[in-house]
Amino acid sequence: QVQLVESGGGLAQPGGSLRLSCAASGYRFSAYTMGWYRQAPGKQRELVATISSGGTTNYADAGKGRFTISRDNAKNTVWLQLNSLKPEDTAVYYCNLLPPDRNWGQGTQVTVSS
């Protein structure tokens, strides 16, 4: 069973940075594309970044140039570096496979506010 545990969120000022981590278990992590998703209050969950098993990355427009996704297959971990944060980045951030598994982690809250 897929298990995903996100961490690293918090309160950041506009222009600040955060690094999110996701520890994955229960499946062969290295074989799957991973994604970071986010859900802002009152909005649908959206995909913000993906990384293939081989390390190819893609970003939604909202994160291009500001977010960086990376992974370590030996550690079953994927990260999302958030830079130049904006108030509109406020959301709960989740990691999951692409397409997502039915099991989601608890997410990690990112709040961007002065």
Side-chain angles (χ1 to χ4, degrees), residues 3 17 31 40 65 91 96 98 100 104:
Q3 291 189 318
S17 298
N96 208 318
L98 180 73
W104 291 83

Side-chain angles (χ1 to χ4, degrees), residues 20-22 29 34 36 51 69-71 76-79 95:
L20 310 183
S21 298
C22 169
F29 176 83
M34 293 295 297
W36 278 96
I51 185 166
I69 188 171
S70 58
R71 69 188 294 164
N76 286 10
T77 300
V78 60
W79 296 274
C95 67

Side-chain angles (χ1 to χ4, degrees), residues 2-111:
V2 170
Q3 291 189 318
L4 303 159
V5 179
E6 302 90 348
S7 62
L11 176 63
Q13 292 189 339
S17 298
L18 288 171
R19 192 188 194 207
L20 310 183
S21 298
C22 169
S25 60
Y27 67 104
R28 193 159 66 97
F29 176 83
S30 61
Y32 291 90
T33 294
M34 293 295 297
W36 278 96
Y37 304 75
R38 70 183 183 184
Q39 187 167 21
K43 295 187 177 181
Q44 288 190 330
R45 191 173 294 169
E46 62 176 349
L47 180 65
V48 295
T50 65
I51 185 166
S52 71
S53 57
T56 299
T57 60
N58 280 289
Y59 300 92
D61 288 345
K64 282 182 181 176
R66 300 189 299 123
F67 297 173
T68 303
I69 188 171
S70 58
R71 69 188 294 164
D72 185 331
N73 289 335
K75 296 182 179 179
N76 286 10
T77 300
V78 60
W79 296 274
L80 186 67
Q81 178 69 40
L82 307 172
N83 294 329
S84 302
L85 283 163
K86 304 176 181 180
E88 52 263 44
D89 295 320
T90 295
V92 180
Y93 285 72
Y94 303 86
C95 67
N96 208 318
L97 288 73
L98 180 73
D101 186 85
R102 63 178 182 175
N103 294 305
W104 291 83
Q106 82 288 350
T108 188
Q109 175 72 48
V110 171
T111 302

